[in-house]
Amino acid sequence: MRLWSAKSSRDFDLKFFNEGNYIRAVEKKMQTETISKVLYPADNVIEGKELRFKQEYFLASATIHDVLYRFKKKHTDLRLLPDKVAIQLNDTHPALAIPELMRVLLDLENVDWDDAWQITQKTFAYTNHTILPEALEQWPVWFFEQILPRHLQIIFDINKYFLEEVAKRFPGDNARLARMSIVEEHWERKIRMAHLAIVGSHSVNGVAALHSEILKQQLFRDFYEMYPERFNNKTNGITQRRWLKMSNPPLSELIDDYIGNGWVTDLYELEKLKAVATEPEFVTRWQAVKKLNKEKLAAYILKHNCIQVNVDSIFDCQVKRIHEYKRQLLNVLHVITMYNRIKENPAGDFVPRTFIFSGKAAPAYVTAKLIIRLINAVATVVNNDPEVGDRMKVVFLANYSVSLAEHIFPAADLSEQISTAGTEASGTGNMKFALNGSLTIGTLDGANIEIMEEVGRENIFIFGLTTDEVNNTRSKGYNPRDYYSKLPELRRVLDQIAGGFFSPGAPDLFRPIVDLLLNHGDYYMLLADYTSYIACQDEVSKLYRDQNEWTRRAILNTAGMGKFSSDRTIAEYARDIWGISGLCQGRRIPPAW
Ligand SMILES: *Cc1c(COP(=O)(O)O)cnc(C)c1O
């Protein structure tokens, strides 16, 4: 692994220093070193800043030059590069490596265009990570003109040859040429980095089965029709060494006692747990481990949030980046619905819940920041209502990170994976939860679908519209106000948020959130999924009353997680894309695409 950092070759400009202009003397050095100073924190959204563009070029270029430096120590014929090197583009962020390699081959190594293009295409492969339009990188042509003019010439040439090929294959289809062009010509000319990545690679993959189908049928349909053999799927995975063995020692040791430790290097070994899913001693020990992990998280919550939670309640967790498509707000609608039900019927028999949220929002993402504020505001009302008592608590854990995540997954009973169908490329949090014996409540989105296939439809809580239903509903004209009018429980919740019930000192604070749902189209269709989500949560509560049945299903979730090891994912990349099969030995991986 290489972590590049930008350093100025000249510490300061002596000329300016001698003139007494000390700021100018170090300005160049400062500017250069800013390039690698910050990681842009935006997630699933582009940061169209010039500094980000320079940073992407800096990192891609440094890597290309290092790769070639090491290749040339052993080889002289650059046409061997694809046999010795594979470059997997992790999203389009490093896609400038394509014109950079072309530039080096053409201008520095005197390779002719056709050979250079063959070498490049065979070396690169591209993994797409999102279909959200606001996350698809498009750099203005004028950035290239000012900063990377030679790369722009090369991209224009790549595009010219590519469009000639398209025109030959689909004669007279000018609309298709405009759709597929690497250059977006509307208003401000831009380079579409995903198109560059597809054209410059021999493989294009999505990160879950549904996501890869959406790439072929929707986002990159034209490219799939042109190059069907390039498209394939590599379902994401997680490492059981971190997300079970290291982060959950008590559960790891219990599993070892019953099935040995083969699962550490072959996660399919967990299947052996199916045989003991109702074995009384195993079940009792499993429940004791979950309780212990919940007590540890409860201590963390008490220390950091000063909230005493009930360890016999359902630990209902949604921990992930805060984004509208992930629908933390839908979860909040359920929280408030449960609160209102308790207030309506204070003596009622409710299954207690602790709602745990954690996650960061990009600094400029105003709506996401407001959703965090709403979660905390709802928490203040709910947690301080004596009538609610320990039947309900709401916790927002600040500073979400891998280290914090390692404490949360082992303690979770319920995993919230509730994105609008068709928006979550894969998800990996869903896998970490299930591996640690949480039940999932989720939509048919991303890898949730494959988790359902592996653990069994009867062992997961599925609700909501499917991807096709989302698309159909949108094209027919979705009217969220229909749901507001028809559903009194939902209407009450939205009126409370909009009317300042949770922000008495600032009654309009959360109105913009309700406006998004009622007056701006509810793009992620929370209201369309509300009824089915609430009904599904009622099923969750009902099941939790039967602790042995809950535990049996939790064990079957862990037992079904074999497929979701990153060992399987990497073996598939190695065999299908990089042309090396050593990592497949003894692994159950599906046939090549
Ligand atoms: C796994 C993980 C994620 C990804 O979570 P999703 O639910 O798949 O979005 C994000 N942040 C941290 C710290 C993680 O450990």
Side-chain angles (χ1 to χ4, degrees), residues 243 319-321 326 400-402 405 409 417 424 427-430 432:
W243 294 111
V319 297
K320 47 180 75 249
R321 293 297 292 237
K326 292 175 181 284
Y400 187 52
S401 66
V402 168
F409 295 119
Q417 307 301 332
E424 186 74 273
T428 54
N430 46 6
K432 300 169 199 169

Side-chain angles (χ1 to χ4, degrees), residues 254 257-258 276 278-288:
L254 172 59
D257 283 352
Y258 278 78
V276 292
T278 56
E279 212 266 278
E281 189 191 89
F282 183 70
V283 169
T284 305
R285 286 182 61 187
W286 181 283
Q287 290 169 340

Side-chain angles (χ1 to χ4, degrees), residues 27-184:
E27 201 175 86
K28 274 258 152 55
K29 175 182 157 71
M30 301 289 288
Q31 267 176 16
T32 307
E33 299 184 358
T34 343
I35 291 177
S36 58
K37 274 264 181 318
V38 292
L39 173 67
Y40 280 85
D43 180 80
N44 280 302
V45 65
I46 48 174
E47 183 66 76
K49 299 268 163 54
E50 186 183 302
L51 182 61
R52 169 71 185 200
F53 180 73
K54 288 181 178 169
Q55 186 179 66
E56 288 186 359
Y57 176 64
F58 168 76
L59 297 170
S61 173
T63 298
I64 291 297
H65 287 266
D66 181 53
V67 164
L68 290 174
Y69 165 78
R70 287 183 295 142
F71 173 83
K72 282 159 66 176
K73 284 207 269 192
K74 284 198 185 158
H75 312 281
T76 48
D77 186 352
L78 282 160
R79 286 168 302 186
L80 291 178
L81 190 72
D83 294 343
K84 305 295 174 191
V85 171
I87 303 178
Q88 191 71 37
L89 296 172
N90 189 18
D91 213 320
T92 59
H93 312 152
L96 288 170
I98 290 173
E100 175 69 354
L101 178 60
M102 284 296 285
R103 184 186 68 83
V104 173
L105 294 174
L106 296 170
D107 298 355
L108 306 182
E109 302 289 346
N110 296 310
V111 178
D112 67 44
W113 180 278
D114 289 344
D115 282 345
W117 187 235
Q118 276 237 352
I119 293 167
T120 300
Q121 275 190 322
K122 284 183 178 170
T123 300
F124 282 101
Y126 162 52
T127 303
N128 173 276
H129 288 274
T130 180
I131 66 159
L132 298 186
E134 63 268 34
L136 296 177
E137 287 190 306
Q138 303 197 351
W139 290 114
V141 165
W142 68 263
F143 273 26
F144 281 89
E145 284 167 347
Q146 294 196 1
I147 300 162
L148 298 174
R150 177 61 182 136
H151 295 76
L152 183 61
Q153 290 179 329
I154 291 169
I155 291 169
F156 282 158
D157 283 345
I158 292 171
N159 198 38
K160 185 182 79 178
Y161 295 128
F162 165 62
L163 291 179
E164 281 171 12
E165 218 185 306
V166 178
K168 212 182 284 173
R169 181 66 206 288
F170 301 96
D173 194 345
N174 286 329
R176 183 183 293 264
L177 290 179
R179 288 198 306 271
M180 295 182 77
S181 176
I182 295 170
V183 187
E184 214 255 283

Side-chain angles (χ1 to χ4, degrees), residues 150 217 373 515:
R150 177 61 182 136
Q217 300 307 328
R373 213 161 160 191
D515 277 342

